[in-house]
Amino acid sequence: MPHIRPVSDLRNNFADISRLVHETAEPVFLTKNGYGDMVVMSIEAYERKLFESEIYFKLKEAELEAKSTDKRYSHEEVFSDLKERLADKMDEDNA
């Protein structure tokens, strides 16, 4: 169930809202004159949402690419390529 509070609670009950967003890892929706106005969330929850959004975008991109080509890669090919890239990256970082 979403947490909905009036925007005035941000000023009057900041500590409660801060505790709520950190304990639940869920956003608090703030209303102004009965209408949605803002969303407050912890930095951790925000970063998680960004990460999930980035993963979704990458998966969507891969799905579109898969539809546009018949080329498929085996598990071994994918992990071999990843290992090579990681090794190259580590070599660059150590240089």
Side-chain angles (χ1 to χ4, degrees):
M1 179 168 216
H3 303 281
I4 302 170
R5 309 273 292 259
V7 75
S8 60
D9 276 6
L10 193 56
R11 179 183 60 244
N12 301 330
N13 300 305
F14 178 81
D16 290 339
I17 292 175
S18 178
R19 180 190 47 74
L20 184 62
V21 298
H22 288 285
E23 286 179 0
T24 65
E26 295 293 325
V28 172
F29 298 88
L30 301 174
T31 61
K32 184 176 182 181
N33 298 323
Y35 295 96
D37 187 49
M38 288 186 246
V39 176
V40 176
M41 60 177 44
S42 69
I43 289 175
E44 293 84 8
Y46 176 74
E47 288 173 344
R48 187 177 60 249
K49 292 285 184 198
L50 284 179
F51 180 73
E52 290 169 358
S53 183
E54 183 177 335
I55 289 174
Y56 176 79
F57 177 76
K58 297 277 186 192
L59 287 172
K60 197 65 166 163
E61 191 175 84
E63 183 179 295
L64 291 172
E65 185 173 335
K67 286 181 181 180
S68 69
T69 182
D70 292 331
K71 177 70 174 156
R72 299 293 182 259
Y73 299 94
S74 70
H75 170 83
E76 290 81 15
E77 290 173 310
V78 170
F79 279 94
S80 176
D81 182 57
L82 283 174
K83 286 177 186 176
E84 283 180 35
R85 289 181 188 210
L86 284 172
D88 291 345
K89 178 72 173 145
M90 290 180 75
D91 290 342
E92 288 175 10
D93 289 347
N94 291 330

